[in-house]
Amino acid sequence: MSILVNHLTYKYNPGTPMESVALNDVSFEIGDGEFIGLIGHTGSGKSTLVQHLNGILKPTEGSVYYNGRDVFDGDYDLKELRSHVGLVFQYPEHQLFESDVFKDVCFGPLNLGLSKKEAELRAYKALKLVGIEDDFFYQSPFDLSGGQKRRVAIAGVLAMEPDVLVLDEPTAGLDPRGRDDLLDSLKTVQAETGCTVVLVSHSMEDVARYADRILVMNNGTIVYDDKPVSVFRHYDKLKEMGLGVPEITGAMYRLRAAGFNVSTDVITVDDAVNEIMAAMGHA
Amino acid sequence: MEIIKTENLTFDYIRRDEDGNVEGITTAVDDVSLKVKPGEFIAILGHNGSGKSTLAKHINAILFPTEGTVFVDGMNTRDDEKIWEIRSTAGMVFQNPDNQIIGQVVEEDVGFGPENMGVPTKEIWERVEESLKAVGMYEFRKKSPNRLSGGQKQRVSIAGVLAMHPKCIVLDEPTAMLDPIGRREVIRAVTALNDVEKITVILITHNMDETIGANRIIVMDKGKIAMEGTPREIFSRVEELKALRLDVPQVTNCAHELRKRGLKIPEGILTDKELVEALKHVNFG
C-alpha cells in the first residue's frame, strides 16, 4: 500500500462568502506499481486532488497517508514526501530554466542533496528513459521542439527517482506520435523501475490504452473506481458528466444497435478489429 | 478573389549568440503557396515543429515572410498601413484560453477588441451581444471569466475575435487543453460560424476527429505542404499519415485494419455510421 486517501475534503476560501468545495469526502487507495488513469471534466477536482498527493495542498478535512504515515502530521517531512511523489504539472516545459538540457535535469536531484556525480548519473538515466538522445544534452532546452521540451521536463522529475509519478495532462498539445512516444515511455518507466503512475487525462482513448485502473471524478467526488472496461460500460453516465467513451467503443455500440453480434466491452482499436472479424465469421 | 493567398512563403527563424552573431537558421516554412477561398473550412495537420503555427501567424501579420508574400483579403501583410485592417480581417484564437482573456466580466472581455478598434459604444454592445449569441455564451455575459470551464472560456475567446467582424478566423489548437465536452462545444461553435455566418475557418489541431467536417485538409511536414485533399482523401492514406507522425480517427484506423485482414470495405471511412453501412454491405453482398 503506497497512498491512502481517507475522507478527504478540500474547500477553497473556507469560511468566506467565496467558499467552494473542490473535493467532497474522497477516499481511495493506490497500490505499488499501479498505472492509474484519473479522468473528469474541467473543474471536477482532479488537479486539486493530485496536489494533495505530494503535500502542496492540505486537506480541510480527512487525511492522506503515504506508506502508512499521515503526511499532514506535524513532524512529517514534506520535502522528503516530494522526493517520493513526483508531480509533473500541466505544460511542465514552462518550468525549464537552465542553460542546457543536462543541467536542467540535474537540478532536482542536486536539490535533494545528492552528490554531483550521483545527480548526473540519475539525469543521464532519466533522459534515456524518456528517449532524449545524447546529441541534445548540451543544447539549450529552449531550442528543442515542443515534444522534446516536454520530455526533458518530465525527465527532471524522473531524475528524483520518485516511487509515485503523477502527471497532469502530460500529452496536451503534443502531436499523435509525440503523445504515443511519451505514454509508451511512461509505461517503460513503470515496468523498469516499478514506480506507480497516476495519469490525469482528458483523452478517453489514452487512458483506455494505458491505465490498469481508472478513477472518474465528478463534482469533487469519485464516482467510478474500476478497470477501464468496466468504467466505460457507463456510456450514458459518462456523457452526462461531460466525458464519454473512447471513439472506438462508441462505434461498437453503434454496430451492436445495428444488429451486429459484437461485444461493447471493447476499448482499443486492436480489440475492435478482432471482435468485428469474429462477428463477420472470419475469426 | 481568395481570402488568404500565400505565394512562395518562406520563413526562417534565426538563432543568435550573445554577441548577435548568427548561430543557426531554421527554415520553419519553406516555399508554401496556398489559396483559401472565402467561406472555406480548412484544417491544418502536422507534427510539432512542422511549421503549422508559423504559417498561421503569417495570416494574422504576427510574423512576416523572409521570402515570398502573404495576402489577406487582397492586402499585402507587408503593407504597414493595412496591418490593423489585416488583423481585424483575420482573427486568431490560441491554445490557452487563460492567456487570452483579460476582462473581469465576460461581456467586457468580448468588447475589448472592437473598443480598441474605435467602434462607437452603441455598436460595441450590439457586436458583443451577437458574438456571444453566436458561440452560445450569451447567458454568461455578466459572469467572471474565472468561473467558466475551459470550453466556455475558449468560446469567449472566439466571441472576442468575432466581435471584430473578421472574415476569417485562424484557430491554433483551440481544443488542446479542453475536456471532451469542451472540445465538442468549441468545434460545434466553430462549425456553426462557418456554416451560418460563412466565416472562413482555418483550424490547426492534433485531434484527427475534429477535422472530419472540414472542406479541405492540409498536412504540413518540414515547412512544406506534404498532403492536401478532402478528409476522405487524406484519411485514406493511413500509412503515409503515420509516417508523418500523425494518426487517423480510431474508426478509420479500425476500418483500415479490417481491410488489411481481408474484409472488402472501402478506405477512408470517417464515422461510425459509415463503418456500420460498410459492414452491412459485406454481410449481405
Side-chain angles (χ1 to χ4, degrees), chain B residues 62-119:
Chain B
I62 297 173
L63 294 176
F64 303 96
T66 308
E67 279 169 56
T69 329
V70 177
F71 293 99
V72 175
D73 204 17
M75 296 173 282
N76 188 335
T77 60
R78 280 267 178 220
D79 188 347
D80 284 343
E81 284 175 10
K82 298 276 193 204
I83 197 152
W84 296 107
E85 208 180 327
I86 288 168
R87 288 192 184 150
S88 56
T89 303
M92 190 137 181
V93 176
F94 297 93
Q95 196 178 87
N96 189 343
D98 291 324
N99 296 346
Q100 298 170 70
I101 292 181
I102 44 160
Q104 300 296 314
V105 182
V106 164
E107 56 182 7
E108 188 186 302
D109 186 82
V110 175
F112 179 80
E115 189 184 5
N116 212 23
M117 288 162 62
V119 173

Side-chain angles (χ1 to χ4, degrees), chain B residues 4-187:
Chain B
I4 308 290
K5 186 163 83 173
T6 75
E7 283 174 348
N8 309 102
L9 168 62
T10 297
F11 184 81
D12 295 331
Y13 281 105
I14 299 173
R15 283 196 310 276
R16 293 176 191 277
D17 65 12
E18 284 153 9
D19 302 322
N21 301 315
V22 175
E23 267 191 336
I25 295 178
T26 310
T27 302
V29 176
D30 190 0
D31 196 22
V32 168
S33 295
L34 175 69
K35 286 178 180 171
V36 180
K37 292 196 287 284
E40 262 195 295
F41 180 170
I42 307 252
I44 303 184
L45 300 177
H47 58 80
N48 294 120
S50 61
K52 313 179 294 291
S53 296
T54 306
L55 173 63
K57 284 176 184 155
H58 279 85
I59 298 172
N60 192 239
I62 297 173
L63 294 176
F64 303 96
T66 308
E67 279 169 56
T69 329
V70 177
F71 293 99
V72 175
D73 204 17
M75 296 173 282
N76 188 335
T77 60
R78 280 267 178 220
D79 188 347
D80 284 343
E81 284 175 10
K82 298 276 193 204
I83 197 152
W84 296 107
E85 208 180 327
I86 288 168
R87 288 192 184 150
S88 56
T89 303
M92 190 137 181
V93 176
F94 297 93
Q95 196 178 87
N96 189 343
D98 291 324
N99 296 346
Q100 298 170 70
I101 292 181
I102 44 160
Q104 300 296 314
V105 182
V106 164
E107 56 182 7
E108 188 186 302
D109 186 82
V110 175
F112 179 80
E115 189 184 5
N116 212 23
M117 288 162 62
V119 173
T121 311
K122 186 168 165 283
E123 199 190 327
I124 293 176
W125 288 111
E126 287 165 9
R127 289 188 181 197
V128 167
E129 183 178 332
E130 61 177 38
S131 306
L132 283 170
K133 281 181 176 164
V135 297
M137 287 297 292
Y138 187 61
E139 61 195 283
F140 295 91
R141 66 191 180 282
K142 301 285 185 197
K143 297 252 190 230
S144 159
N146 298 324
R147 313 293 283 183
L148 303 179
S149 73
Q152 290 168 338
K153 281 185 205 166
Q154 200 59 301
R155 284 187 286 155
V156 171
S157 305
I158 295 172
V161 171
L162 272 184
M164 296 195 281
H165 283 182
K167 292 182 182 168
C168 171
I169 295 191
V170 183
L171 303 106
D172 193 354
E173 293 189 50
T175 60
M177 302 188 66
L178 306 183
D179 58 16
I181 194 160
R183 277 171 49 186
R184 280 199 294 274
E185 288 168 1
V186 168
I187 294 303

